[in-house]
Amino acid sequence: MRPFSTVLTAAAVAVFGVILASSSPEISGDGERAREESEAAISAAGVDRSPPPRYSFFASPAGLRLPSAPLPTEALGPVRAWNPQEPQEPGGARNSQDPDGVSPLPEVREFFFTRAAYTGYRGRGGWGRRPSWAIDYPEADHHFMTVLKRLTNLDGYDWDNAIRLEDPELRRFPFLYALEVGYMDLTEPEVRGLRDYLDAGGFLVIDDFWGMREWDNFVYNMSRVLPGREIEDLSLDHPLFNVFYDITEVRQTPAIGRGVNGRPTWESPDSKVPMVKGIHDDDGRLMVVINWNTDLGDAWEHAENPFYPLEYSTYAYQVGVNMVVYGMSH
Amino acid sequence: MERLFEALFKFRPLLFAEGDLTFTSPWPMALLVLGAAAVAAAAVATYGTAGGRTSAGDRTVLATLRLAALGVLTFCLLQPTLVLSSTVAQRNFVGILVDDSRSMTLPGEDGQPRSAFATEVFGAESELVEALSERFALRYFRFAGDAGRIPGPEALAHDGTRTDLASALDRAREELSSVPLSGLVVLSDGADNAGRPLAEALVPLQAASVPVYTVGLGAEALDPDLQVGPVELPRTVLQGSALVVDVLVSHRGFEGRRVPVLVEDGVRLLVQDTVTLAGPDEPAIARVRFTLDEVGPRRIRVRVPAQDGEAVAQNNARDISVEVRENTRKILYFEGEPRWDVKFLKRAVEDDPNLQVVLLQRTADNKFYRRDIDGPEELVDGFPDTREELFAYEGLILGSVEASFFTSDQLSMIADFVSQRGGGLLTLGGRNALAEGGYGGTAVEEALPVVLEQSAAEPRRAYTEVKVTPTPAGRSHPAAQLRTDQETPDSLWEALPVLSTLNRIERVKPGATPLLVGDTGGDTDRIVLAHQRYGRGKSVTLAVQDLWIWQMHADVPLEDLSHETFVQQILRWLVEGVPERVELRAELDAVEPGEAVRIGATVLDSTYLEVNDASVLATITDPTGATESRLLDWSVETDGLYATELRPDQPGTWTVDVSAARGEEMLGAGVLHIAVGPSDVEFFDAGRRTAVLERLAESTGGRFYTPETVGSLPEDLQFTGAGVTVTEERDLWDMPFLFLTLLGLLGAEWTYRRLRGLV
């Protein structure tokens, strides 16, 4: 286990990184600065850049980074709130704890719920200084993986796995989840990294962005990644909607606090209608699924919250399972 | 040597071999022996008691010489006689079989055509035939692909396209079975190319005690000459399949020369390569790869252009018939869990119109996802539980699915799918595959090409990264290629990222072939790809769990098609040659006009068991489009085999369409193409095959001759013992050898005395 002083140092560095990032005077797409900002945010989220564990053995138990508090190994267990001053354990993809065993095993898993860590505009009110890619992170990831493994016989990694878009290691994870893309501001290396990822056969799921302003920002960034590609509506007869669960309607999954007590599920007047759209490659294969005007991540993250409507969580998990199973078979 | 023997012993060795030695002295044998003993004793006594200047040694030598001389004399007095069975003049027959194939037009050692010897030496006016005719009634036969009576060798045309020695011997023996037969004489170069074992014809000849005398014509090796060896190609291939062919070029007299090797489809050049010829006993090998894109019967020619001064140019090209099909091969991919290889394997073959990979994926307990099925009923109940349903596929891929998922009958069915149906089974690695999936001891294990080691309790403990490299067999194997236009260079294998495996596979079964191995960085390599034949089909194991890395990894350029090519190649090869329910096969894939060819159709039911009560109708279409229908008869000797004989009389492509039914049930249909045209098969391996002719003669009690030694044939035939014979006695007492021996012994005694001063 890491000495306490080391943990304190890591926490201080993370806090410093977040503060540094937040002190930037304006929103910028400048590549280098944005990259540093992104790195600091990833660091704050407890993500290091060592080779992913799937392809390497853990050296010894002394190298393990055990959680400082009980982890949500059970489905929908208690989840801690995000606190940027306290780096999250188990540290994203680099978690070395294996819940199945008592001794270190190579992290050989078929599926990693991989979250795209991208450069974006900094935080907005209501959820602190958290970078836009890290919204709901890592609780949503943990919860989703727990439920996904319970509902399917997938050999999945239990924890989160955030990775930068320009990191070549991204190509080891053919499933990628990105949210809050309305605040996305990709650097050129990220654009190239994501383009190559998708061209090689990667599958990207977009979630949690609302209204036309965020849509336009996403379209702008995506047009840099996949210039000339059209964004098309996906109808309910698409295999995506029946590969595992039969989804008969596209529902709007609200963020936490919405859809209850008479509050609407939408976040702005121009985001009342949820839509599922897609981008296809030259051979007509779906490579990007776009969930617009909906927030699956919040439904996963807050599924255990008694004030979050169960119907939305259930729907969000069904859609999520379908997206994973579809992405792994098409 | 033989003449010296005859000068010393009066007769040739063959007569001594055929005859029996006896003594015919009118005096009693015992009296002669006693007399000789008495004389010998007197001689010994005389020499033993002699005094004077002689020493004991002198007396011993002189006594020995004298006793030896007495022995020779006694042997002569016994009147040794050779008793032979001599054929009765004009009461016996001799069949003379003359090779009428095209190879007889090739030059012999004297520069004349081989056929010239038969015409001159065995012609009606020749001395040899006169000598034979004095004693035997001669019957001439010609033989090539078939055999028949002829009045004499002058009637030969030497245009036969094949040489079938066994059938020729059968024909002559049967035709002369009702007459006293002293032997058969075969004039040939021995270049049998009919493919029928010669031993089949030897047994009845041995039983009837008919000796065969063979006369070998032509030189044993053509010089200078260059020849293209047999080329192996599958009879049927899917359109667009990449083929790898080893072309073996043997030669004599062209050491060090670089020659081109061309592969042509009609007038279209498919590929060209160059080989450097080494020594005469070192054939050069050119490995060429090409793709067949045009559907239908193709005639592929592999050739080396004729070189200056070649003895025979016709053996520089090989023609092979290949049926290029565009039909879709259906493969069932059963995967036990969501896996990335499902996505990337499907993507790799989705542009291949000849492969339909039907996916059945267990996504949760008792929940399945089907993809690319032909109808709503297909696989609706999950993995097939009847043979009919499973055997409808040509290939089967088993992913990470534990053996306990299947019933015992389903496991047997999977093994039968390979052995009985002739399908291709591909087993992938994974956490629930192979030993880790509990397949040890099941029927499926027997079909696997690899040895299942004891499984790890937790498959992740067996996890190993492997750097994949091809074995020597894998380098040229179509199932282990990353390129279709050329052999995969080592640099390409080295550039590919490492894969990983959860299955400890370190050995292949006897008879299996490893194609790819994985370097683990440790002492023992892992087997990555191996295959074996299992019954009618083939079984392949690909023991890695993340082949998709070759597609996704950042080190692999986006434009690189290694993953797609590898998957397509292995799946195409997996289902290549998988039998249909009606399989047609011709004895020969190319014949000359007028040459008979036997066609067989194997008919199977939906469970791939042979059907003997089918109605099998063949429609034969000649090159002009004229058709003829005939029913094929069950062959009786072989279950499910229906056969007929076709004798195409026009050059071109003949098509045989066969449909089989049992009652109202349609069993299946098949099509076969036969190329009819001139054949050069006679010019391959056209040197004299002395060993074949010697074996033929020796195993029947006959003798092998060359044109130089054939003069003794009439006398040899006279004493074969076969046919109507009389006993003939030949005196041996007057053999020059005995006289010379006696003279030598007495001369030696006298010389010894002179040298020792005893006279």
Side-chain angles (χ1 to χ4, degrees):
Chain A
M1 182 170 298
R2 188 176 280 192
F4 182 66
S5 59
T6 307
V7 176
L8 277 183
T9 305
V13 169
V15 170
F16 176 74
V18 172
I19 292 171
L20 186 66
S22 65
S23 65
S24 187
E26 60 184 26
I27 295 172
S28 171
D30 175 71
E32 186 58 29
R33 196 169 63 235
R35 190 181 64 77
E36 290 171 359
E37 173 191 338
S38 179
E39 281 179 351
I42 292 173
S43 176
V47 179
D48 67 28
R49 283 173 290 283
S50 58
R54 183 165 189 252
Y55 299 95
S56 60
F57 289 93
F58 293 100
S60 70
L64 298 181
R65 293 170 56 189
L66 297 178
S68 55
L71 288 168
T73 53
E74 294 302 320
L76 310 184
V79 179
R80 291 175 300 164
W82 166 263
N83 179 1
Q85 296 186 29
E86 183 184 347
Q88 293 292 286
E89 291 290 359
R94 283 66 184 161
N95 170 36
S96 54
Q97 165 113 7
D98 189 310
D100 292 345
V102 292
S103 60
L105 284 171
E107 204 45 78
V108 185
R109 296 294 184 185
E110 188 69 21
F111 181 82
F112 289 72
F113 187 84
T114 305
R115 178 179 285 251
Y118 59 83
T119 303
Y121 306 118
R122 285 181 303 280
R124 58 184 185 184
W127 27 266
R129 298 297 183 186
R130 176 181 290 211
S132 56
W133 69 262
I135 302 303
D136 308 331
Y137 176 84
E139 287 79 5
D141 311 42
H142 298 172
H143 289 183
F144 179 69
M145 280 310 301
T146 302
V147 176
L148 178 67
K149 290 182 69 173
R150 185 166 288 182
L151 294 175
T152 70
N153 58 357
L154 181 74
D155 178 28
Y157 178 64
D158 292 79
W159 309 111
D160 49 281
N161 183 39
I163 192 161
R164 296 168 53 87
L165 290 179
E166 73 270 35
D167 189 340
E169 292 300 315
L170 175 67
R171 300 271 285 275
R172 292 182 179 276
F173 308 103
F175 181 92
L176 187 62
Y177 175 77
L179 81 176
E180 290 287 356
V181 292
Y183 295 86
M184 177 183 267
D185 183 21
L186 299 179
T187 65
E188 276 309 310
E190 288 174 331
V191 166
R192 281 196 300 275
L194 183 56
R195 182 190 301 138
D196 290 349
Y197 173 82
L198 294 171
D199 285 344
F203 187 68
L204 172 65
V205 172
I206 301 291
D207 182 31
D208 191 12
F209 69 119
W210 304 76
M212 286 309 300
R213 188 186 65 78
E214 294 186 10
W215 170 263
D216 290 342
N217 185 66
F218 165 71
V219 170
Y220 165 71
N221 279 280
M222 196 47 76
S223 68
R224 295 168 60 205
V225 175
L226 299 171
R229 296 246 176 249
E230 288 188 13
I231 297 177
E232 301 166 277
D233 288 336
L234 298 182
S235 59
L236 286 168
D237 58 358
H238 191 281
L240 181 71
F241 296 106
N242 54 44
V243 67
F244 194 90
Y245 289 109
D246 284 327
I247 309 291
T248 56
E249 62 173 331
V250 176
R251 303 190 63 178
Q252 189 162 57
T253 308
I256 184 74
R258 294 187 175 273
V260 292
N261 299 328
R263 298 189 66 188
T265 54
W266 40 268
E267 298 196 351
S268 62
D270 63 349
S271 62
K272 292 180 180 177
V273 181
M275 291 189 183
V276 180
K277 296 173 180 287
I279 301 176
H280 299 82
D281 66 10
D282 289 338
D283 296 315
R285 297 177 299 213
L286 187 62
M287 53 181 176
V288 182
V289 178
I290 304 160
N291 296 284
W292 183 37
N293 295 336
T294 192
D295 189 352
L296 301 173
D298 257 18
W300 299 337
E301 181 184 6
H302 302 292
E304 89 293 359
N305 189 328
F307 297 104
Y308 190 87
L310 180 62
E311 58 179 316
Y312 298 127
S313 292
T314 304
Y315 172 79
Y317 276 110
Q318 289 181 344
V319 172
V321 169
N322 271 24
M323 287 189 299
V324 171
V325 174
Y326 179 88
M328 294 186 78
S329 56
H330 288 76
Chain B
M1 194 61 158
E2 191 172 289
R3 286 185 180 174
L4 178 63
F5 186 93
E6 188 176 359
L8 290 173
F9 295 95
K10 280 183 68 181
F11 308 112
R12 292 184 301 111
L14 181 76
L15 270 64
F16 284 94
E18 293 288 341
D20 296 320
L21 180 67
T22 186
F23 296 95
T24 56
S25 170
W27 298 340
M29 175 80 74
L31 187 62
L32 276 174
V33 173
L34 278 175
V39 173
V44 170
T46 305
Y47 280 95
T49 56
R53 291 176 296 154
T54 58
S55 65
D58 291 336
R59 291 195 293 272
T60 303
V61 170
L62 292 172
T64 304
L65 289 171
R66 180 56 57 92
L67 285 176
L70 281 172
V72 172
L73 201 58
T74 305
F75 181 75
C76 291
L77 288 173
L78 288 171
Q79 289 191 21
T81 305
L82 190 62
V83 180
L84 294 161
S85 292
S86 174
T87 52
V88 179
Q90 299 304 325
R91 292 281 302 278
N92 293 290
F93 288 74
V94 168
I96 299 175
L97 291 73
V98 189
D99 193 337
D100 193 22
S101 66
R102 284 183 184 165
S103 62
M104 294 293 283
T105 62
L106 293 173
E109 285 173 311
D110 56 358
Q112 296 294 310
R114 297 171 182 176
S115 57
F117 173 82
T119 312
E120 291 169 10
V121 179
F122 281 83
E125 305 296 325
S126 72
E127 285 180 23
L128 188 74
V129 169
E130 274 186 25
L132 286 169
S133 300
E134 284 176 8
R135 223 165 170 83
F136 305 103
L138 303 182
R139 295 290 180 267
Y140 285 95
F141 296 83
R142 62 161 290 281
F143 71 93
D146 55 357
R149 281 281 300 275
I150 52 171
E154 295 80 8
L156 296 174
H158 300 294
D159 59 355
T161 56
R162 290 180 198 283
T163 303
D164 187 350
L165 268 172
S167 296
L169 291 169
D170 280 347
R171 174 68 189 270
R173 178 183 53 78
E174 288 166 7
E175 194 142 324
L176 299 174
S177 61
S178 58
V179 298
L181 184 60
S182 290
L184 297 175
V185 180
V186 175
L187 281 74
S188 174
D189 50 24
D192 187 296
N193 48 33
R196 190 184 154 200
L198 200 55
E200 286 182 12
L202 292 182
V203 173
L205 287 170
Q206 289 165 332
S209 298
V210 177
V212 178
Y213 296 84
T214 54
V215 184
L217 305 178
E220 289 195 334
L222 302 170
D223 192 4
D225 187 46
L226 185 150
Q227 176 172 301
V228 174
V231 176
E232 295 288 336
L233 276 178
R235 285 195 315 118
T236 60
V237 297
L238 292 175
Q239 184 186 21
S241 290
L243 300 171
V244 184
V245 175
D246 284 338
V247 181
L248 190 137
V249 183
S250 55
H251 76 98
R252 188 172 282 265
F254 293 115
E255 287 84 356
R257 186 173 295 195
R258 284 176 64 79
V259 295
V261 177
L262 300 95
V263 181
E264 298 163 334
D265 179 5
V267 295
R268 194 158 67 95
L269 177 66
L270 297 174
V271 67
Q272 179 172 345
D273 200 355
T274 306
V275 291
T276 303
L277 303 175
D281 296 325
E282 297 175 53
I285 297 177
R287 179 164 292 163
V288 293
R289 16 185 103 238
F290 53 94
T291 305
L292 294 175
D293 296 318
E294 290 191 40
V295 175
R298 315 303 309 168
R299 195 81 176 143
I300 306 301
R301 166 162 285 207
V302 179
R303 72 179 178 93
V304 173
Q307 305 296 302
D308 293 338
E310 257 197 275
V312 185
Q314 291 95 326
N315 61 1
N316 286 27
R318 294 272 185 180
D319 292 316
I320 314 105
S321 291
V322 179
E323 176 93 19
V324 182
R325 293 182 176 172
E326 60 177 346
N327 58 337
T328 302
R329 296 287 189 173
K330 207 168 172 182
I331 300 172
L332 171 60
Y333 179 8
F334 182 44
E335 184 54 77
E337 58 189 89
R339 286 180 87 191
W340 290 115
D341 269 333
V342 172
K343 167 182 179 149
F344 289 98
L345 184 147
K346 288 283 294 175
R347 282 182 169 223
V349 299
E350 67 186 2
D351 290 335
D352 192 331
N354 300 124
L355 294 176
Q356 179 188 356
V357 178
V358 177
L359 174 67
L360 177 67
Q361 186 172 28
R362 186 179 55 173
T363 52
D365 288 344
N366 296 317
K367 191 171 181 68
F368 295 91
Y369 175 61
R370 299 175 294 160
R371 193 179 160 196
D372 292 333
I373 50 178
D374 285 334
E377 296 302 314
E378 185 172 358
L379 301 171
V380 69
D381 295 323
F383 191 82
D385 53 11
T386 65
R387 279 166 168 70
E388 285 86 347
E389 195 182 357
L390 181 62
F391 290 5
Y393 300 92
E394 275 114 350
L396 173 64
I397 305 173
L398 280 186
S400 180
V401 54
E402 65 282 2
S404 58
F405 168 84
F406 300 104
T407 65
S408 175
D409 189 49
Q410 281 176 317
L411 290 169
S412 299
M413 241 167 56
I414 293 171
D416 290 347
F417 175 81
V418 187
S419 63
Q420 182 178 317
R421 190 258 182 268
L425 171 66
L426 171 62
T427 40
L428 304 177
R431 61 173 179 153
N432 289 322
L434 304 170
E436 286 64 28
Y439 285 90
T442 68
V444 173
E445 185 196 14
E446 291 181 20
L448 297 178
V450 295
V451 177
L452 299 187
E453 309 290 348
Q454 190 169 8
S455 66
E458 165 54 71
R460 283 185 289 161
R461 294 199 183 282
Y463 171 86
T464 306
E465 291 182 350
V466 285
K467 182 68 181 170
V468 177
T469 53
T471 63
R475 284 181 202 284
S476 60
H477 199 281
Q481 298 299 319
L482 305 174
R483 293 284 181 273
T484 57
D485 55 344
Q486 58 173 334
E487 185 171 307
T488 307
D490 286 346
S491 58
L492 205 56
W493 288 107
E494 289 162 10
L496 285 173
V498 297
L499 302 180
S500 66
T501 178
L502 293 169
N503 311 102
R504 193 159 58 89
I505 302 293
E506 295 171 350
R507 294 178 293 158
V508 297
K509 288 180 180 170
T513 307
L515 300 176
L516 296 176
V517 293
D519 181 3
T520 61
D523 295 336
T524 309
D525 285 349
R526 296 284 179 90
I527 302 296
V528 171
L529 181 67
H531 78 89
Q532 72 170 5
R533 296 293 308 184
Y534 184 68
R536 285 184 186 152
K538 60 185 100 162
S539 175
V540 189
T541 293
L542 178 60
V544 290
Q545 54 135 4
D546 51 3
L547 189 67
W548 59 270
I549 285 287
W550 283 355
Q551 168 64 28
M552 275 297 289
H553 197 278
D555 290 346
V556 180
L558 291 173
E559 62 276 10
D560 186 278
L561 296 176
S562 294
H563 177 263
E564 289 91 336
T565 306
F566 182 79
V567 172
Q568 285 181 13
Q569 285 291 111
I570 198 169
L571 292 189
R572 277 174 168 259
W573 180 79
L574 187 72
V575 294
E576 206 164 74
V578 172
E580 310 276 353
R581 285 172 59 183
V582 174
E583 276 285 308
L584 282 168
R585 189 177 289 271
E587 201 176 26
L588 306 164
D589 66 353
V591 294
E592 292 255 343
E595 189 177 1
V597 57
R598 193 166 174 79
I599 295 168
T602 304
V603 179
L604 307 171
D605 66 11
S606 58
T607 59
Y608 284 76
L609 293 174
E610 294 84 359
V611 178
N612 292 336
D613 57 348
S615 171
V616 182
L617 179 68
T619 304
I620 299 158
T621 308
D622 71 14
T624 67
T627 60
E628 174 207 337
S629 294
R630 66 171 80 161
L631 280 171
L632 270 59
D633 299 321
W634 176 42
S635 67
V636 180
E637 304 96 43
T638 308
D639 283 337
L641 180 65
Y642 297 77
T644 188
E645 189 175 272
L646 179 65
R647 195 178 288 273
D649 54 3
Q650 295 177 48
T653 301
W654 288 61
T655 305
V656 182
D657 288 289
V658 168
S659 62
R662 180 164 56 184
E664 297 296 314
E665 180 194 4
M666 183 67 188
L667 293 172
V671 65
L672 176 74
H673 300 280
I674 300 169
V676 181
S679 166
D680 291 328
V681 68
E682 271 291 308
F683 298 105
F684 289 90
D685 300 319
R688 185 181 78 205
R689 296 192 205 165
T690 305
V692 172
L693 296 171
E694 282 181 340
R695 186 168 71 89
L696 175 58
E698 285 170 8
S699 58
T700 56
R703 194 177 175 213
F704 169 74
Y705 302 92
T706 62
E708 293 75 32
T709 62
V710 75
S712 61
L713 176 65
E715 187 181 25
D716 294 347
L717 269 167
Q718 185 181 344
F719 298 107
T720 61
V724 180
T725 59
V726 292
T727 301
E728 191 175 290
E729 295 182 348
R730 302 282 180 96
D731 287 339
L732 295 177
W733 66 267
D734 54 352
M735 285 192 298
F737 175 76
L738 294 177
F739 176 71
L740 290 174
T741 305
L742 189 60
L743 211 59
L745 291 169
L746 294 175
E749 183 184 350
W750 183 80
T751 304
Y752 188 85
R753 285 173 183 269
R754 288 283 297 176
L755 290 174
R756 299 288 296 170
L758 300 176
V759 290

